Amino acid sequence: MDFFIKNHKVLVLDDFHYASADMQYDIACQLKEVIRRGFKAVVISLPYRSDDAIRLNPDLTGRISVIEVEPWKKEELRKSRMKVLLTAVALPV
């Protein structure tokens, strides 16, 4: 945890919703303690399960922000892919 804090790193925890309820509770309790010390984490879950960590540990209220990401449209994906391709060959975007 100290490495993440000292080096301004962020833990990304994907598929939180796949963890058992006990594991989710343990993670939520651990996050509360380290977030208080300046640790940063991103917990990725399904939209309808986005508040699981807060429901499991209400002490996280005010320490977690829920950010919903809408599905991308095909045109947005094309533009994004083009930027990646242009960046890969070092052309200005």
Side-chain angles (χ1 to χ4, degrees):
M1 299 300 160
D2 290 334
F3 173 83
F4 279 80
I5 295 168
K6 288 178 187 174
N7 294 285
H8 308 287
K9 301 293 182 188
V10 178
L11 173 71
V12 177
L13 180 59
D14 195 5
D15 291 335
F16 183 72
H17 56 279
Y18 282 126
S20 68
D22 288 341
M23 179 63 72
Q24 288 182 6
Y25 177 77
D26 289 344
I27 292 169
C29 288
Q30 294 297 319
L31 282 176
K32 178 198 169 215
E33 291 306 313
V34 295
I35 287 171
R36 186 177 52 78
R37 294 182 15 217
F39 185 80
K40 294 179 182 159
V42 174
V43 178
I44 301 172
S45 191
L46 295 171
Y48 60 90
R49 303 278 304 270
S50 62
D51 63 344
D52 282 357
I54 295 171
R55 282 189 295 107
L56 291 165
N57 188 348
D59 288 343
L60 288 172
T61 302
R63 293 182 171 107
I64 291 181
S65 298
V66 176
I67 302 169
E68 291 193 30
V69 178
E70 297 293 324
W72 289 28
K73 296 177 177 74
K74 286 184 181 181
E75 184 57 29
E76 292 171 323
L77 288 171
R78 280 190 206 95
K79 288 179 183 178
S80 175
R81 184 175 57 207
M82 183 57 72
K83 286 181 182 179
V84 169
L85 291 172
L86 292 174
T87 303
V89 294
L91 296 175
V93 179

